[in-house]
Amino acid sequence: MDLKQAMRTFPDYPAKGIMFRDITTVLKNPSALNHALNQMAAQLEGLDFDIIVAPESRGFIFGAPLAARFGKGFVPARKKGKLPGPTAAKEYTLEYGTDTIEIHTDAVEAGQKVVIVDDLLATGGTAKCICDIVAELGGTVVRSVFLIELEELGGRDMLGDIGIRAVLTY
């Protein structure tokens, strides 16, 4: 199955010059969704890891089923104010402002090997925040897996050497 053909692109959304890669057509197609999950799972085969951390909201779509498939725990990385307990937080810059990612302080234990899963690697800001929080909590990011990487935005450069894998690249 060609996942790029299963996906649709919206030119000039949300601003002129941007080619928005819309995953909703993959999500509504059971064969395409299963194929995407299989391709992402293949990037984790044989890897020694303890837990998957994924940011809201589209990271949840892929992170939770992958965690279940590998018999691992799942940790949601949420926007500020969405988690009820004590959190570790990190602010990052967006194109038009800032945002904050939080993870419960007891969600990642010292020494745990962490995989980050998300739908998209663009500038790398979200994934970098998660890496920083995981390190603060004593864990180590051993790999990051994305459905899509937008290479021209340089997210890979921001993340350094954490074993980045992407199923599709644009």
Side-chain angles (χ1 to χ4, degrees), residues 2 7 26 28 31-32 48 55 63 65 81 95 99 103 121 149 170:
D2 185 345
M7 199 168 312
V26 171
K28 76 176 190 174
S31 295
D48 180 23
E95 188 175 357
D99 211 342
I103 296 175
L121 174 59
E149 178 181 2
Y170 291 93

Side-chain angles (χ1 to χ4, degrees), residues 144-162:
S144 57
V145 178
F146 302 93
L147 178 61
I148 302 166
E149 178 181 2
L150 302 177
E151 294 177 312
E152 73 273 4
L153 296 180
R156 188 175 286 265
D157 297 334
M158 179 177 272
L159 296 178
D161 188 27
I162 63 166

Side-chain angles (χ1 to χ4, degrees), residues 74-145:
F74 174 77
V75 173
R78 304 281 325 258
K79 292 182 180 168
K80 187 175 184 170
K82 300 290 185 180
L83 293 172
T87 62
K90 176 91 173 156
E91 187 176 271
Y92 64 103
T93 303
L94 299 166
E95 188 175 357
Y96 301 107
T98 63
D99 211 342
T100 302
I101 292 285
E102 296 182 325
I103 296 175
H104 276 134
T105 55
D106 62 356
V108 176
E109 298 173 11
Q112 281 191 312
K113 297 175 188 142
V114 175
V115 170
I116 297 171
V117 172
D118 203 358
D119 70 317
L120 179 70
L121 174 59
T123 64
T126 303
K128 176 71 168 114
C129 277
I130 293 171
C131 288
D132 292 346
I133 294 170
V134 166
E136 178 183 325
L137 297 174
T140 303
V141 175
V142 295
R143 183 159 298 163
S144 57
V145 178

Side-chain angles (χ1 to χ4, degrees), residues 1 3 6 25-38:
M1 167 170 284
L3 285 174
T25 51
V26 171
L27 300 177
K28 76 176 190 174
N29 177 329
S31 295
L33 177 57
N34 193 51
H35 185 67
L37 285 166
N38 287 340

